[in-house]
Amino acid sequence: MKIRKARLVVLISGSGSNLQALIDACADGSLKAEIVAVVSNKADAFGLQRAATAKIPQQVVDHRKFISRESFDAMLAEVVDSYRPDLVILAGFMRILTPGFVDRFAGRMLNIHPSLLPKYPGLNTHQRAIDAGESEAGATVHFVTNQLDGGPAVLKASVPILEVDTAETLAARVLVYEHKIFPLAAQWFCENRLHVRENVAWLDNTPIPEGGIFYNKLSEPSISVEL
Ligand code: GRF
C-alpha cells in the first residue's frame, strides 16, 4: 500500500535557511513529507530562490498591498489552504498572524523561534540574551497559538553563549540547531506522533513537559525520546 506523504506549506520572509533544511530532509528521507508550496510575504526573499531550485511551487502575498492585517491574513489563508496542507510551517515568517488565520490552522501549524522560550519572545532575541548575561541561548519549535511565540513547546536545542559572542555569531550557532530540530519536529507530526490537545503538546501519547523536549538530551541517531 502506498502511504500518502504529508503535505507541507512553508511560510517564509527571508533567507529561508530553515526552509532549506526542510527541503534537504525531504530529499534525504528523514522527513517523509512533500513541501507542496512556499509562500512569502516578500517578493525578494532569498528562500524563494531555494524553492525554485527545488522545483517547489511558490507564491508571494505582499502584505503591503492590503489595507489591514485581517485582509492580508484572509488572502494568505486562502492561498495556503489552496494547497491542502496537513502541516503549515512558519520558517522565519516575520508577520504577526491574526486569530482568524491562527484558528484556521490550529493544531497543524509549527513555528521556530530563536530563543529558549518562554524567554525572549519577539525580536532581537540573541542580543537580549547576551545583554541579560545568559549563559545559554537556543531555539524552540512550538505549536502556534494566538499568544505570540507562546504556544506549547515541542522541541528545544540550547547552545552556550561565549564571552566573545555577538548577536551575529550567536545567531549563526543557534541556526545550526534550528536546522536539526525543525525537520525532526515536522517528522514527528507527519508520523502522527505529535499532537496538540487543550494547549498541551503530546508526543507518542505522552504530554510533553511545558519547556519542551531538549534535543541535546536525545540520543542520536535512534531518536529515542526521554521525557
Ligand atoms: C530564524 O532564526 C528563525 O528562528 C527566525 O528567523 C530566522 C529565519 O532564518 N524566526 P531563515 O530565513 O530560516 O534562514
Side-chain angles (χ1 to χ4, degrees):
M1 188 178 74
K2 193 161 185 271
I3 297 173
R4 180 179 79 80
K5 277 190 181 171
R7 298 170 65 84
L8 313 185
V9 171
V10 182
L11 272 56
I12 62 164
S13 298
S15 152
S17 70
N18 277 291
L19 164 67
Q20 189 65 54
L22 293 160
I23 292 171
D24 294 346
C26 288
D28 72 20
S30 55
L31 173 53
K32 291 174 188 54
E34 184 185 355
I35 302 174
V36 292
V38 171
V39 182
S40 174
N41 65 312
K42 293 195 169 174
D44 61 354
F46 181 67
L48 292 173
Q49 291 184 38
R50 299 180 192 269
T53 304
K55 300 193 167 51
I56 298 168
Q58 54 176 267
Q59 293 236 14
V60 175
V61 185
D62 183 345
H63 60 278
R64 293 169 309 179
K65 296 194 173 141
F66 294 82
I67 54 163
S68 66
R69 235 174 237 287
E70 284 73 18
S71 56
F72 167 69
D73 277 11
M75 174 55 77
L76 187 66
E78 285 305 312
V79 168
V80 170
D81 246 349
S82 71
Y83 291 99
R84 295 178 285 107
D86 297 300
L87 177 63
V88 177
I89 297 193
L90 307 182
F93 184 68
M94 302 305 282
R95 300 286 306 166
I96 293 174
L97 294 162
T98 57
F101 189 95
V102 171
D103 294 345
R104 188 150 161 179
F105 299 101
R108 52 185 176 118
M109 183 153 58
L110 292 174
N111 180 44
I112 191 154
H113 183 75
S115 80
L116 296 170
L117 289 171
K119 285 186 170 174
Y120 311 113
L123 298 174
N124 301 323
T125 54
H126 306 101
Q127 191 60 53
R128 285 157 62 207
I130 292 171
D131 291 348
E134 299 280 0
S135 58
E136 58 174 15
T140 308
V141 177
H142 65 94
F143 279 102
V144 178
T145 63
N146 285 309
Q147 199 191 344
L148 179 68
D149 298 325
V154 174
L155 194 51
K156 262 183 189 160
S158 65
V159 302
I161 298 182
L162 310 178
E163 248 176 60
V164 292
D165 263 329
T166 61
E168 289 71 31
T169 58
L170 181 57
R173 220 162 48 254
V174 169
L175 255 191
V176 172
Y177 281 89
E178 293 188 36
H179 300 162
K180 295 175 192 288
I181 63 176
F182 217 2
L184 178 56
Q187 172 60 10
W188 286 346
F189 186 92
C190 294
E191 286 174 309
N192 231 357
R193 295 172 60 191
L194 177 65
H195 304 271
V196 65
R197 284 195 287 271
E198 289 161 9
N199 217 35
V200 175
W202 292 67
L203 183 69
D204 297 335
N205 296 316
T206 309
I208 294 175
E210 222 174 285
I213 296 164
F214 257 92
Y215 178 81
N216 313 60
K217 288 189 188 153
L218 297 179
S219 57
E220 292 181 89
S222 62
I223 307 173
S224 67
V225 178
E226 261 178 59
L227 293 180

